[in-house]
Amino acid sequence: MPNSNAKFHCSHRSGREASRRELVSRSLQSAQHCLEEQDFGTAYAHYLLVLNLAPELKTSVKETFQFTLFKWAEELDSLARIQDLFNCYEQALELYPNDEVICNSMGEHLFRMGFRDEAAGYFHKAVKLNPDFADAKENFYRVANWLVERWHFIMLNDTKRNLTYLKAIENAVRSGCKSVLDIGTGTGILSMFAKKAGASFVYACELSKTMYELACDVLAANNMEREIKLLHLKSLDIEIPKHIPERVSLVVTETVDAGLFGEGIVESLIHAWEHLLLQPK
């Protein structure tokens, strides 16, 4: 009797496997037929089914799947079916999470729709995945020109200004300020000043996704990514102990420029003083 059960289960598994292969084969044939008829939406649906049933085919159908996705996305874009377009890219990235071509294409759609910060994130990821991907590099630099304010470059090259900040931070740390919060860190320069000055704990927050990712790269390039905790948050949203363990002894910021009040820096500093900064005894 046990042998009969084993044979039954083995036969049942073999039957399911045969059915799976048959369904995959038919779906591939249907997808190809739909492509020939330029029915990209149906072809895309067939490829989704194939890739979910047979993940082992990901490599062999990858280029055709990409072509189908991009053609279907163009149609969805022309029909203003924006949510459906994004859903398709999310499905594609679940199947191919490290595909630089799909990331770059997603970024291009986002950029055309005005979501520049989000687009920069996808372009950045594509370049990370493949540093030699020329289209993604060009797209990232193009969107960066929109997002990185010109005054960042001026400030970074203002040696006198930077040395003044460095000296002030060094003096504060040497006088006993061992935990530092950098509001609107940008490239992370003030956070690095604080760490190099000897601060035990350094936290930095940056609201812009593009600048946050740039700061991550800068910290990594300087081997300080583990020494400075970088938060992709508005300073007003920082909570203790959720984001930082306790109040800090020094707050630094370089967001004071011609846009002082427009930056919301006054509110940020008041919040930091009331909730994040150690109060004098």
Side-chain angles (χ1 to χ4, degrees):
M1 192 69 178
N3 288 337
S4 297
N5 286 336
K7 289 179 180 178
F8 172 78
H9 289 303
C10 181
S11 176
H12 184 62
R13 283 196 298 271
S14 298
R16 283 192 303 176
E17 178 61 22
S19 297
R20 183 188 74 91
R21 287 199 299 266
E22 177 65 20
L23 182 55
V24 168
S25 177
R26 287 186 179 183
S27 293
L28 283 173
Q29 291 174 12
S30 297
Q32 189 59 44
H33 175 72
C34 290
L35 286 179
E36 292 170 0
E37 297 295 319
Q38 297 191 342
D39 182 358
F40 300 114
T42 307
Y44 175 76
H46 280 298
Y47 277 118
L48 280 184
L49 178 61
V50 168
L51 290 168
N52 279 287
L53 286 175
E56 67 273 14
L57 296 179
K58 281 184 179 180
T59 301
S60 61
V61 303
K62 180 178 176 179
E63 290 187 11
T64 311
F65 175 76
Q66 287 175 343
F67 172 81
T68 306
L69 167 66
F70 300 155
K71 285 295 186 180
W72 179 224
E74 287 176 10
E75 284 191 24
L76 292 173
D77 194 6
S78 68
L79 296 169
R81 292 172 55 183
I82 306 307
Q83 190 57 56
D84 288 335
L85 185 153
F86 287 153
N87 289 342
C88 286
Y89 273 97
E90 287 175 4
Q91 292 167 339
L93 286 169
E94 284 180 9
L95 292 166
Y96 296 97
N98 296 319
D99 188 289
E100 69 273 19
V101 178
I102 295 176
C103 286
N104 183 63
S105 180
M106 176 65 157
E108 289 176 338
H109 281 287
L110 287 165
F111 184 78
R112 283 196 296 270
M113 294 173 192
F115 301 107
R116 292 169 182 157
D117 210 25
E118 293 82 356
Y122 281 98
F123 294 145
H124 184 260
K125 183 178 179 180
V127 174
K128 282 280 191 180
L129 290 168
N130 182 0
D132 297 323
F133 189 7
D135 287 349
K137 287 168 69 175
E138 182 179 343
N139 284 331
F140 180 68
Y141 294 142
R142 178 160 56 103
V143 75
N145 283 331
W146 285 91
L147 294 172
V148 181
E149 299 288 350
R150 294 297 176 186
W151 49 262
H152 273 290
F153 302 104
I154 297 171
M155 288 161 58
L156 286 172
N157 287 283
D158 188 338
T159 304
K160 184 177 180 181
R161 175 192 177 96
N162 293 336
L163 288 176
T164 301
Y165 267 103
L166 174 61
K167 186 173 292 186
I169 290 171
E170 286 177 340
N171 289 339
V173 171
R174 287 168 184 166
S175 68
C177 295
K178 295 301 183 181
S179 57
V180 181
L181 171 64
D182 180 6
I183 295 178
T185 191
T187 59
I189 187 171
L190 299 189
S191 297
M192 291 189 290
F193 284 170
K195 195 62 192 177
K196 289 182 178 179
S200 302
F201 306 99
V202 180
Y203 313 97
C205 64
E206 176 56 55
L207 180 60
S208 165
K209 185 176 181 181
T210 301
M211 294 307 299
Y212 166 79
E213 291 179 346
L214 178 61
C216 288
D217 287 345
V218 171
L219 295 182
N222 287 274
N223 298 314
M224 301 182 77
E225 70 272 27
R226 295 184 179 181
E227 300 182 57
I228 298 171
K229 183 175 181 179
L230 188 56
L231 303 167
H232 182 207
L233 282 175
K234 189 175 183 179
S235 60
L236 295 172
D237 295 330
I238 296 176
E239 298 177 17
I240 298 172
K242 182 178 179 180
H243 301 115
I244 60 177
E246 57 188 3
R247 289 173 179 253
V248 298
S249 52
L250 176 67
V251 171
V252 297
T253 184
E254 202 174 12
T255 50
V256 182
D257 72 327
L260 173 62
F261 296 99
E263 290 273 351
I265 189 60
V266 173
E267 291 84 354
S268 296
L269 292 176
I270 290 174
H271 175 77
W273 172 260
E274 294 178 345
H275 302 287
L276 307 175
L277 189 66
L278 285 170
Q279 299 298 313
K281 296 179 180 179

